[in-house]
Amino acid sequence: MRDIASNIKVVNALSPAVQAATIKGNTVDLLGFESAALIVNTGAIAGSGDYTASVQESSTTTDGDFTAVDAGDLVGAFPASLTADGSFKVSYIGHKRFVRVVVTKNSGTSIAAGAVAVLGNAAKRPVA
């Protein structure tokens, strides 16, 4: 198939909302896909906020099993500080089954943020 929509799956990795604290995103299951990109979108930042985004991985869905992804298992990098009204992406090339986005509050009041995971190279196509 030539259309991209039939060849990818889009998963809500972090519900868009005003975040006033560090937040762990939704667990994204990579089973059946050979590639994944994580995209963080931001809106307004209040109170001179400083927020960072990172990716965690795990072989289970247990919260305590998630650890930071090594830089070598990412293509690209999130910026040192998220900026207002931006879109930022990284590709995960690690081997764990589950990933999630974490937005960490370093200072400030709040940030409007959300994230999606785009999964590609599906084992079965078309992707529903």
Side-chain angles (χ1 to χ4, degrees), residues 49-96:
D50 178 39
Y51 289 81
T52 54
S54 61
V55 182
Q56 294 182 334
E57 64 185 356
S58 179
S59 295
T60 74
T61 58
T62 303
D63 182 55
D65 290 346
F66 279 85
T67 59
V69 174
D70 290 333
D73 286 335
L74 294 174
V75 175
F78 289 125
S81 293
L82 296 175
T83 57
D85 299 317
S87 293
F88 313 94
K89 66 180 178 177
V90 296
S91 289
Y92 175 72
I93 58 171
H95 301 287
K96 302 285 182 164

Side-chain angles (χ1 to χ4, degrees), residues 3-82:
D3 75 293
I4 192 169
S6 295
N7 293 295
I8 62 171
K9 180 176 183 179
V10 179
V11 178
N12 181 16
L14 177 64
S15 296
V18 174
Q19 314 291 348
T22 294
I23 186 156
K24 298 171 187 171
N26 304 320
T27 298
V28 177
D29 189 350
L30 305 177
L31 185 65
F33 295 88
E34 294 181 17
S35 61
L38 297 148
I39 299 138
V40 174
N41 293 302
T42 60
I45 299 175
S48 298
D50 178 39
Y51 289 81
T52 54
S54 61
V55 182
Q56 294 182 334
E57 64 185 356
S58 179
S59 295
T60 74
T61 58
T62 303
D63 182 55
D65 290 346
F66 279 85
T67 59
V69 174
D70 290 333
D73 286 335
L74 294 174
V75 175
F78 289 125
S81 293
L82 296 175

